[in-house]
Amino acid sequence: MVLSLAVIGILVGAIYIFIPHDESADAARSAVKRVDYRVELITARRTAPYAVAAPEGLPKTWRATSVSYKASDDGKGGAWHLGMLDPEQEYAAVEQSDAMPRKFIKDVTLGATKAEGKQAVGSKKWDRYQGDKYRALVREESGVTTVVTGTAPYGRLADLAAALVAKKG
């Protein structure tokens, strides 16, 4: 039995040595595919009852990785999502909805709670939220709540928030 385990161990070691594998940072970056979100953005801007926000002018080191817009049956509660990786490979997302703010914020921040202090983004102040997994910047306006959330530090979330341009299509 010990001899059989030794043979299997040698076989596994040989396979590991001779099968190419790339564990570099470039391999990790290329593992997550970039998505083009232009069509979904145009559709969301035409459909949503609020001005949909998307970044403009971010450096190419920011990569969009997921996008969706889900309209609600009753015209309230439609949700826009744009997930991204920042230049340091941290997750950041833009989440917007006209649903009830408290529940929406809790859902998209994975239960984060309001923290002390505000984050200056341009001339506006955003509320800070802190959770076990995600941080978030939240701005509640008439008819829409915008949340910039993710694992990225507040400064990066603020960079994304500053690049947001809200338009109705």
Side-chain angles (χ1 to χ4, degrees), residues 22-93:
D22 189 356
E23 296 174 3
S24 67
D26 288 336
R29 282 193 184 110
S30 64
V32 178
K33 301 295 181 205
R34 182 184 298 260
V35 298
D36 184 354
Y37 60 91
R38 291 177 292 186
V39 172
E40 287 86 351
L41 178 61
I42 291 167
T43 302
R45 284 181 169 164
R46 286 184 185 153
T47 308
Y50 52 86
V52 173
E56 289 184 6
L58 278 178
K60 292 193 185 288
T61 51
W62 285 79
R63 296 184 300 146
T65 59
S66 61
V67 61
S68 66
Y69 177 73
K70 293 178 185 155
S72 63
D73 294 333
D74 63 358
K76 281 297 251 183
W80 164 248
H81 160 83
L82 177 60
M84 306 187 84
L85 287 179
D86 77 358
E88 302 300 319
Q89 304 307 300
E90 292 291 337
Y91 180 69

Side-chain angles (χ1 to χ4, degrees), residues 12 23 38 45 48 55 97 110 115 117 126-127 129 155 159:
V12 169
E23 296 174 3
R38 291 177 292 186
R45 284 181 169 164
S97 181
L110 303 180
W126 291 58
D127 292 322
Y129 279 68
D159 291 344

Side-chain angles (χ1 to χ4, degrees), residues 95-99 101 104-105 138-141 143-147:
E95 309 281 357
Q96 272 188 306
S97 181
D98 59 342
F104 174 68
I105 294 166
V138 176
R139 182 135 175 91
E140 292 181 52
E141 296 173 297
V144 65
T145 302
T146 304
V147 179

